[in-house]
Amino acid sequence: VTLLERRPPGLSNLTRSLAENDGWRSSRLFPVSSLRSDRERENRATSILLSVMTQVPEFGRRLTAAFGAPAGRLETFTEVSLPHGDTPARPDGVIRVERAGKLWTALVETKTNGNALRSEQVQTYMDIATRRGYEAVITLSNDVALEGRPLVDVRVDRRRKHKVALWHLSWAEVTHQARMLIRHEGVRNASHAWLLNELLYYLEHDNSGCHGFQNMGPDWVPVRKGIDTETLCRGDQRAIGVVESWERLIRQVCLRLGGELGRKVLPVRRSRRGTDAATRRLAADDELCDLGRLHAELRIDGTPGLLAVTADLRTGRLRTSIAVDAPEQGLPLTRIKRLIRRLDTAPADLHIETLVEGAGNGPRGTLERLRPEPGDLLPGDGAAISGFRLSLFKGMGTGRGNAESGFIRSVDDAVDRFHRSVITPLETRPTRRGRPRPTEGSETPVPAGAE
């Protein structure tokens, strides 16, 4: 108001309008400002998601196909009352697909804001689905399901001929699929893209409660203290709990990064740690107890190596790194200079380590020191260079949650910074005029109608 009172006499109506709008909130299809309770968040989030699934066929089909549903006419319902003993049961939603005169039906149970699914409630819906001949029960929450382990314990009556499938969907997966469609793969028309953008705005808003995995769990602080005092032993159930939370976090990082890049990003499963998920978790638990470290590797389509993430709980530092092969042509010093030129915009504190054939690691140094003296990376004994390892280090958040100082936020920031400042320059190759151009598959055009 003070600004408008002091405006010069010739100020136009358009300028006055723009000045007024600076503090105004844009209208949204799915408002989030009035959400007051967890129950209200669950009801609204379920209704919004199911309605967008019916209005944007590409989005609805992408989600239902993962649950084994056929392609067909999609209908969704919310808060349906179903007979169950003396008191009717009310699942949060129902998904129904009709194809060739047959119906595929799934009950949906939703949780938001970090609330946990209750096994007895899911069991009730499994029993109802079995009696009524439905095909599936879908749970939807911020939690991320672990490979080879159900999110909730549900008894299955194997004597029944009709089998009901139990599926879990994370809000992070919903966000990933919506982002992939509107930013990278495209939808049929601009109105569908606008609907998905409104859905994304809602899911990513602080009030929605649909933010994916956001808490390392109650075992995080005791395990950190056990590492500091060197009292953490192999097989400690608290350490296994932290390993499982780490696995959930990495799976969510893959979803988020893949949605932003428009490429497939998957966690790497090393065979030396075992072929099944439980064996790999035990190996990770041993590493955490013995060395105080959590480690993971991500495979990104189109990237020349694996993105490794290591959280050292003893030193409180995060390391993101990638090992790349040395160029096949040119003298050793020429290869090093070529690599440093491609990292022209990388941070000065980037660590570069020479990998030597048959001998492991060679010379190393920071990019700041190596730019004027690239020869410092040459092995002293003239050994053949097989590649280079590039690493960035940063302080690790200590809190178990997703606050600014939390561990989860620090991992997200470290991965984003490393990909943006180190991996992206490696994915480009110079043209004849010296200007970098993207490698094949690295461009991600935005479809018409998307923001």
Side-chain angles (χ1 to χ4, degrees):
V1 175
T2 303
L3 174 64
L4 295 178
E5 288 175 350
R6 296 178 179 176
R7 68 181 183 271
L11 195 63
S12 67
N13 291 334
L14 176 60
T15 305
R16 289 198 302 271
S17 176
L18 292 175
E20 290 174 347
N21 292 351
D22 284 346
W24 292 4
R25 181 183 302 162
S26 299
S27 59
R28 311 299 309 204
L29 180 64
F30 309 126
V32 290
S33 57
S34 61
L35 292 171
R36 296 182 179 88
S37 67
D38 288 339
R39 185 58 183 165
E40 189 175 355
R41 288 185 181 90
E42 292 173 6
N43 291 342
R44 187 175 297 187
T46 306
S47 182
I48 290 172
L49 173 62
L50 296 185
S51 62
V52 173
M53 287 173 61
T54 60
Q55 296 301 314
V56 185
E58 303 94 326
F59 180 62
R61 178 56 190 155
R62 177 164 294 212
L63 292 182
T64 56
F67 307 133
R73 188 171 66 90
L74 178 65
E75 291 182 304
T76 57
F77 310 87
T78 59
E79 296 188 277
V80 176
S81 179
L82 298 174
H84 182 69
D86 297 333
T87 306
R90 295 181 181 274
D92 293 312
V94 175
I95 299 174
R96 177 164 285 176
V97 181
E98 179 184 354
R99 180 181 175 90
K102 296 183 179 180
L103 292 176
W104 180 94
T105 307
L107 304 180
V108 180
E109 172 60 16
T110 303
K111 295 295 180 185
T112 58
N113 214 31
N115 294 320
L117 294 160
R118 294 188 289 116
S119 59
E120 61 273 13
Q121 193 174 27
V122 177
Q123 181 70 63
T124 296
Y125 297 145
M126 290 287 289
D127 295 339
I128 293 174
T130 301
R131 290 198 307 269
R132 301 180 71 88
Y134 296 161
E135 281 71 22
V137 171
I138 302 170
T139 56
L140 176 60
S141 73
N142 281 339
D143 210 345
V144 178
L146 292 173
E147 180 186 356
R149 175 176 297 184
L151 197 62
V152 291
D153 294 326
V154 176
R155 300 184 306 274
V156 179
D157 190 349
R158 302 187 182 277
R159 296 172 298 177
R160 294 183 181 270
K161 294 182 179 180
H162 183 78
K163 303 297 182 183
V164 177
L166 177 60
W167 299 93
H168 179 71
L169 182 65
S170 170
W171 285 113
E173 174 70 15
V174 175
T175 301
H176 167 79
Q177 297 295 357
R179 188 178 287 121
M180 287 291 293
L181 278 173
I182 63 175
R183 297 185 181 176
H184 306 291
E185 299 176 10
V187 289
R188 292 182 180 178
N189 55 51
S191 62
H192 289 174
W194 180 79
L195 270 175
L196 288 176
N197 269 310
E198 289 295 300
L199 174 64
L200 273 180
Y201 173 83
Y202 181 89
L203 295 178
E204 294 173 348
H205 196 280
D206 292 340
N207 291 347
S208 71
C210 307
H211 306 121
F213 179 76
Q214 286 193 306
N215 197 306
M216 291 296 290
D219 298 321
W220 174 251
V221 173
V223 166
R224 285 184 52 243
K225 290 181 178 178
I227 291 174
D228 290 340
T229 59
E230 299 186 6
T231 57
L232 191 66
C233 302
R234 288 191 178 193
D236 191 317
Q237 289 300 313
R238 296 173 301 179
I240 294 177
V242 169
V243 167
E244 292 177 349
S245 294
W246 171 252
E247 182 179 335
R248 291 186 173 97
L249 174 57
I250 293 301
R251 290 171 67 87
Q252 180 162 285
V253 168
C254 291
L255 288 173
R256 184 183 56 78
L257 189 60
E260 293 173 359
L261 300 176
R263 287 182 264 168
K264 185 178 294 184
V265 181
L266 296 172
V268 177
R269 306 302 185 200
R270 293 289 186 181
S271 58
R272 68 173 181 268
R273 288 196 169 189
T275 56
D276 65 284
T279 303
R280 289 196 298 268
R281 289 187 195 113
L282 287 176
D285 173 74
D286 293 343
E287 182 177 0
L288 176 61
C289 296
D290 295 343
L291 304 176
R293 294 189 312 203
L294 295 165
H295 180 77
E297 292 175 313
L298 282 59
R299 177 177 286 109
I300 306 172
D301 278 359
T303 297
L306 302 178
L307 195 166
V309 185
T310 303
D312 193 327
L313 275 64
R314 286 182 175 174
T315 63
R317 302 180 76 195
L318 282 169
R319 173 176 179 166
T320 45
S321 62
I322 186 172
V324 296
D325 294 334
E328 296 181 358
Q329 300 178 348
L331 297 173
L333 183 58
T334 303
R335 300 179 187 180
I336 295 172
K337 289 180 178 180
R338 191 180 305 162
L339 173 67
I340 292 177
R341 281 197 304 268
R342 295 182 71 177
L343 296 169
D344 182 56
T345 59
D349 60 344
L350 176 69
H351 286 237
I352 303 180
E353 178 183 8
T354 303
L355 304 180
V356 180
E357 290 183 1
N361 303 335
R364 67 185 69 183
T366 62
L367 186 58
E368 182 179 26
R369 183 173 66 83
L370 293 171
R371 277 172 176 153
E373 298 292 341
D376 289 350
L377 283 179
L378 289 172
D381 56 359
I385 299 174
S386 61
F388 304 93
R389 179 176 289 109
L390 315 176
S391 305
L392 278 178
F393 298 86
K394 73 180 296 288
M396 185 184 77
T398 56
R400 70 180 187 179
N402 195 35
E404 197 70 35
S405 60
F407 175 73
I408 295 175
R409 183 73 61 87
S410 65
V411 172
D412 285 336
D413 292 344
V415 171
D416 288 345
R417 181 191 181 213
F418 190 79
H419 187 274
R420 179 179 63 253
S421 61
V422 179
I423 294 182
T424 297
L426 294 177
E427 293 176 337
T428 60
R429 48 192 170 90
T431 63
R432 292 181 180 179
R433 295 183 179 182
R435 295 180 180 178
R437 65 184 179 187
T439 56
E440 183 178 355
S442 64
E443 290 185 331
T444 52
V446 179
E451 294 181 351

Coordinates of all heavy atoms in Angstrom, one line a residue, residues 324-328 330-333 335-336 353-363 377-388:
V324 N 36.0 -43.2 -14.0 CA 35.8 -43.2 -15.5 C 37.0 -43.7 -16.1 O 38.2 -43.6 -15.6 CB 35.5 -41.7 -16.0 CG1 34.2 -41.2 -15.4 CG2 36.7 -40.8 -15.6
D325 N 36.8 -44.4 -17.3 CA 38.0 -44.9 -18.0 C 38.8 -43.8 -18.6 O 38.3 -42.7 -19.0 CB 37.5 -45.8 -19.1 CG 36.8 -47.1 -18.6 OD1 37.1 -47.5 -17.4 OD2 35.9 -47.7 -19.3
A326 N 40.1 -44.0 -18.8 CA 41.0 -43.1 -19.4 C 40.7 -43.1 -20.9 O 40.4 -44.2 -21.5 CB 42.4 -43.4 -19.1
P327 N 40.8 -42.0 -21.6 CA 40.7 -42.0 -23.1 C 41.7 -43.0 -23.7 O 42.8 -43.2 -23.3 CB 41.0 -40.6 -23.5 CG 40.7 -39.7 -22.3 CD 41.1 -40.7 -21.1
E328 N 41.3 -43.6 -24.8 CA 42.1 -44.6 -25.4 C 43.2 -44.0 -26.3 O 44.3 -44.7 -26.4 CB 41.2 -45.5 -26.3 CG 40.2 -46.4 -25.6 CD 39.4 -47.2 -26.5 OE1 39.6 -47.2 -27.7 OE2 38.5 -48.0 -26.0
G330 N 46.0 -41.0 -27.4 CA 46.9 -39.9 -26.9 C 47.9 -40.3 -25.8 O 47.7 -41.4 -25.2
L331 N 48.9 -39.5 -25.6 CA 49.8 -39.8 -24.5 C 49.2 -39.6 -23.2 O 48.2 -38.9 -23.0 CB 51.0 -38.8 -24.7 CG 51.8 -38.9 -26.0 CD1 52.8 -37.8 -26.1 CD2 52.5 -40.3 -26.1
P332 N 49.8 -40.2 -22.1 CA 49.2 -40.1 -20.8 C 49.0 -38.6 -20.3 O 47.9 -38.3 -19.8 CB 50.3 -40.8 -19.9 CG 50.9 -41.7 -20.8 CD 51.0 -41.1 -22.1
L333 N 49.9 -37.7 -20.6 CA 49.7 -36.3 -20.1 C 48.6 -35.7 -21.0 O 47.8 -34.9 -20.4 CB 51.0 -35.6 -20.3 CG 50.9 -34.1 -19.8 CD1 50.5 -34.0 -18.4 CD2 52.3 -33.4 -20.1
R335 N 45.9 -37.2 -22.1 CA 44.7 -37.7 -21.6 C 44.3 -36.9 -20.3 O 43.1 -36.6 -20.1 CB 44.8 -39.2 -21.2 CG 45.2 -40.1 -22.4 CD 45.3 -41.5 -21.9 NE 45.8 -42.4 -22.9 CZ 45.9 -43.7 -22.8 NH1 45.7 -44.3 -21.6 NH2 46.4 -44.5 -23.7
I336 N 45.3 -36.7 -19.5 CA 45.0 -35.9 -18.2 C 44.5 -34.5 -18.5 O 43.6 -34.0 -18.0 CB 46.2 -35.9 -17.3 CG1 46.6 -37.4 -16.9 CG2 46.0 -35.0 -16.1 CD1 47.9 -37.5 -16.2
E353 N 41.9 -38.8 -8.8 CA 42.8 -39.8 -8.4 C 43.1 -40.7 -9.6 O 42.2 -41.1 -10.3 CB 42.2 -40.7 -7.3 CG 43.1 -41.8 -6.8 CD 42.4 -42.7 -5.8 OE1 41.2 -42.4 -5.5 OE2 43.0 -43.6 -5.2
T354 N 44.3 -40.9 -9.9 CA 44.7 -41.7 -11.1 C 44.6 -43.2 -10.7 O 45.0 -43.7 -9.6 CB 46.2 -41.5 -11.5 OG1 46.3 -40.1 -11.8 CG2 46.6 -42.3 -12.7
L355 N 44.0 -44.0 -11.6 CA 43.8 -45.4 -11.4 C 44.8 -46.1 -12.3 O 44.9 -45.8 -13.5 CB 42.4 -45.9 -11.7 CG 41.3 -45.2 -10.9 CD1 39.9 -45.7 -11.3 CD2 41.5 -45.4 -9.4
V356 N 45.7 -47.0 -11.7 CA 46.8 -47.6 -12.5 C 46.5 -49.1 -12.7 O 46.0 -49.8 -11.8 CB 48.1 -47.4 -11.7 CG1 49.2 -48.1 -12.5 CG2 48.4 -46.0 -11.5
E357 N 46.7 -49.6 -13.9 CA 46.5 -51.0 -14.2 C 47.3 -51.9 -13.3 O 48.5 -51.8 -13.2 CB 46.8 -51.2 -15.7 CG 45.8 -50.6 -16.6 CD 46.1 -50.9 -18.1 OE1 47.1 -51.7 -18.3 OE2 45.4 -50.4 -19.0
G358 N 46.6 -52.8 -12.6 CA 47.3 -53.8 -11.9 C 47.8 -53.4 -10.5 O 48.3 -54.2 -9.7
A359 N 47.8 -52.1 -10.3 CA 48.5 -51.6 -9.1 C 47.5 -50.8 -8.2 O 47.9 -50.3 -7.1 CB 49.7 -50.7 -9.4
G360 N 46.3 -50.6 -8.7 CA 45.3 -49.9 -7.8 C 45.3 -48.4 -8.0 O 45.2 -47.9 -9.2
N361 N 45.6 -47.7 -7.0 CA 45.5 -46.2 -7.0 C 46.9 -45.6 -7.2 O 47.9 -46.1 -6.8 CB 45.0 -45.7 -5.7 CG 43.6 -46.3 -5.4 OD1 42.9 -46.7 -6.3 ND2 43.2 -46.4 -4.1
G362 N 46.9 -44.5 -7.9 CA 48.1 -43.7 -8.2 C 48.0 -42.3 -7.6 O 47.4 -42.1 -6.5
P363 N 48.7 -41.4 -8.2 CA 48.7 -40.0 -7.6 C 47.3 -39.4 -7.6 O 46.4 -39.8 -8.3 CB 49.6 -39.3 -8.6 CG 50.4 -40.3 -9.3 CD 49.5 -41.5 -9.4
L377 N 49.5 -35.9 -11.9 CA 48.7 -37.1 -11.9 C 49.4 -38.3 -12.7 O 48.9 -39.4 -12.7 CB 47.3 -36.9 -12.6 CG 46.3 -36.1 -11.8 CD1 45.0 -36.0 -12.6 CD2 46.0 -36.9 -10.5
L378 N 50.5 -38.0 -13.2 CA 51.3 -39.1 -13.9 C 51.9 -40.0 -12.9 O 52.5 -39.6 -11.9 CB 52.3 -38.5 -14.8 CG 51.9 -37.8 -16.1 CD1 53.0 -37.1 -16.7 CD2 51.2 -38.8 -17.0
P379 N 51.7 -41.4 -13.1 CA 52.4 -42.3 -12.1 C 53.9 -42.2 -12.2 O 54.4 -42.0 -13.3 CB 51.9 -43.7 -12.6 CG 50.6 -43.4 -13.4 CD 50.8 -42.0 -14.0
G380 N 54.5 -42.2 -11.1 CA 56.0 -42.0 -11.1 C 56.8 -43.1 -11.7 O 57.8 -42.9 -12.3
D381 N 56.2 -44.3 -11.7 CA 56.9 -45.5 -12.3 C 56.6 -45.7 -13.8 O 57.0 -46.7 -14.4 CB 56.7 -46.7 -11.5 CG 55.2 -47.0 -11.4 OD1 54.4 -46.3 -11.9 OD2 54.9 -48.1 -10.7
G382 N 55.8 -44.8 -14.4 CA 55.4 -45.0 -15.8 C 54.4 -46.0 -16.0 O 54.2 -46.5 -17.2
A383 N 53.7 -46.4 -15.0 CA 52.6 -47.5 -15.2 C 51.5 -46.9 -16.0 O 51.2 -45.7 -16.1 CB 52.1 -47.9 -13.8
A384 N 50.8 -47.9 -16.7 CA 49.7 -47.5 -17.6 C 48.5 -47.0 -16.8 O 48.1 -47.6 -15.8 CB 49.3 -48.7 -18.5
I385 N 47.9 -45.9 -17.3 CA 46.7 -45.4 -16.6 C 45.5 -46.0 -17.1 O 45.2 -46.0 -18.3 CB 46.7 -43.8 -16.8 CG1 47.9 -43.1 -16.3 CG2 45.4 -43.3 -16.2 CD1 47.9 -41.7 -16.6
S386 N 44.7 -46.6 -16.2 CA 43.4 -47.3 -16.6 C 42.2 -46.3 -16.5 O 41.2 -46.5 -17.2 CB 43.2 -48.5 -15.8 OG 43.0 -48.2 -14.4
G387 N 42.3 -45.3 -15.7 CA 41.2 -44.4 -15.5 C 41.4 -43.4 -14.4 O 42.5 -43.3 -13.9
F388 N 40.3 -42.7 -14.0 CA 40.4 -41.7 -13.0 C 39.2 -41.8 -12.1 O 38.1 -42.2 -12.5 CB 40.5 -40.3 -13.6 CG 41.6 -40.1 -14.6 CD1 41.4 -40.3 -15.9 CD2 42.9 -39.8 -14.1 CE1 42.4 -40.2 -16.8 CE2 43.9 -39.6 -15.0 CZ 43.7 -39.8 -16.4

